[in-house]
Amino acid sequence: MQITGNHQMARIVRHNDESVREGYIRNGGKEVKLFTSALKAFQCNNRIVMAQRKHLDDFLRGRIIGRLECGRTQLEVSEELGISQSVISRLWQRFQDDGNVSRCYSTGRPRVTTPNEDRYLAVTAKRNRRSTASDLSRQLSSATGTTVSRQTVYRRLGHIGLYARRPVRCVPLTATHCRLRLAWSREHALWTPQQWSCVMFSDESRFSLQSDSRRTFIWRAPGTRYHQENTIERHRYGGAGWLV
């Protein structure tokens, strides 16, 4: 980096073992005082470097602690190495507390629910497949005292393969209905087009007195679409109605 001030140009060179006082730069082995505008540009560059730095490796942490033990101030070390002073302060405080400067690796935010609570959500969803995520969240809160969001319920059930899907609709049939339908199908299985041409299909319109918005969802695993527990019985025309 080059800084120009008052028609003078100097190259900033950082040395590991040599310090540069605040407001000065090293130029040809001599400390040259920066002008106000050049000093601001130099500090701005340091802030950019600090913002781009992610994590400190163990070698750099050791260099920081070594300079602080030699009597350097945190501000001087921060400007020399281009590291935020707050980072250096926390590192020095940790070194004084337990003598360790290695980075602590965390596993992220702890889970809100325990394995037992996850199993409780799964069992409750399987027992009442039409319960919503909000219902499961309230049941968990009342049973264990743990409050979770709807999104957490979706994630926990998704981990065991349960997803919210629309149930398959089927006509409610008794054993007699099934027997008669099967007999009628076998009787007419070999009918010719000429025979079917003698059958008149009406164009009557039917208006249902019951509603089925199909907004009901159930919890089911992939590949279990047509399982009995994942179906919902509905009359073909929605139950009672009028023919016009």
Side-chain angles (χ1 to χ4, degrees):
M1 173 182 176
Q2 291 184 346
I3 297 180
T4 303
N6 195 19
H7 304 293
Q8 295 183 3
M9 181 175 294
R11 180 177 295 275
I12 297 177
V13 180
R14 291 192 180 92
H15 298 273
N16 295 335
D17 300 326
E18 298 181 2
S19 62
V20 179
R21 290 181 296 171
E22 182 179 2
Y24 289 81
I25 61 174
R26 181 76 61 184
N27 183 26
K30 299 181 180 179
E31 290 186 356
V32 180
K33 186 174 183 179
L34 290 172
F35 294 92
T36 304
S37 59
L39 178 59
K40 290 183 178 179
F42 178 66
Q43 294 174 345
C44 180
N45 177 71
N46 276 348
R47 286 193 294 268
I48 294 175
V49 174
M50 294 176 187
Q52 294 175 347
R53 190 178 299 277
K54 298 297 182 180
H55 298 291
L56 304 179
D57 54 26
D58 291 341
F59 178 73
L60 184 55
R61 292 168 184 264
R63 291 175 59 193
I64 295 174
I65 297 300
R67 281 165 170 73
L68 294 176
E69 288 183 331
C70 291
R72 304 283 295 279
T73 65
Q74 296 181 6
L75 181 60
E76 292 175 349
V77 178
S78 172
E79 293 178 349
E80 179 182 352
L81 300 179
I83 302 173
S84 174
Q85 184 178 355
S86 60
V87 175
I88 296 177
S89 176
R90 289 193 299 269
L91 183 63
W92 178 246
Q93 184 63 39
R94 182 182 172 192
F95 177 75
Q96 290 179 328
D97 293 340
D98 54 16
N100 184 20
V101 295
S102 299
R103 181 187 173 194
C104 294
Y105 293 91
S106 61
T107 57
R109 182 179 179 181
R111 290 170 63 92
V112 180
T113 58
T114 62
N116 290 335
E117 292 171 344
D118 294 343
R119 285 192 292 270
Y120 177 83
L121 287 175
V123 171
T124 306
K126 291 180 179 179
R127 287 178 178 175
N128 185 10
R129 294 180 179 269
R130 300 185 189 180
S131 58
T132 63
S134 299
D135 296 336
L136 295 175
S137 176
R138 286 191 293 267
Q139 294 177 21
L140 179 65
S141 178
S142 61
T144 63
T146 301
T147 303
V148 296
S149 63
R150 295 171 56 251
Q151 288 74 16
T152 301
V153 175
Y154 281 120
R155 288 195 298 269
R156 296 297 183 270
L157 296 181
H159 290 163
I160 61 173
L162 291 180
Y163 303 94
R165 298 291 186 266
R166 285 190 176 91
V168 177
R169 296 194 304 172
C170 64
V171 179
L173 299 176
T174 63
T176 302
H177 291 154
C178 295
R179 179 172 47 82
L180 294 177
R181 286 195 171 198
L182 180 59
W184 188 92
S185 300
R186 290 174 177 175
E187 180 183 351
H188 298 82
L190 302 178
W191 270 30
T192 63
Q194 289 76 14
Q195 290 175 302
W196 284 113
S197 63
C198 300
V199 179
M200 182 181 66
F201 296 92
S202 64
D203 58 351
E204 295 174 337
S205 299
R206 190 178 192 280
F207 295 88
S208 177
L209 300 181
Q210 297 180 1
S211 63
D212 181 14
S213 62
R214 301 199 65 186
R215 293 183 179 179
T216 302
F217 286 79
I218 61 170
W219 300 102
R220 68 171 177 85
T224 61
R225 175 181 175 85
Y226 295 102
H227 288 195
Q228 183 177 1
E229 65 271 12
N230 296 334
T231 60
I232 182 172
E233 293 185 347
R234 285 289 186 273
H235 291 280
R236 181 174 179 81
Y237 296 104
W242 294 93
L243 289 175
V244 180

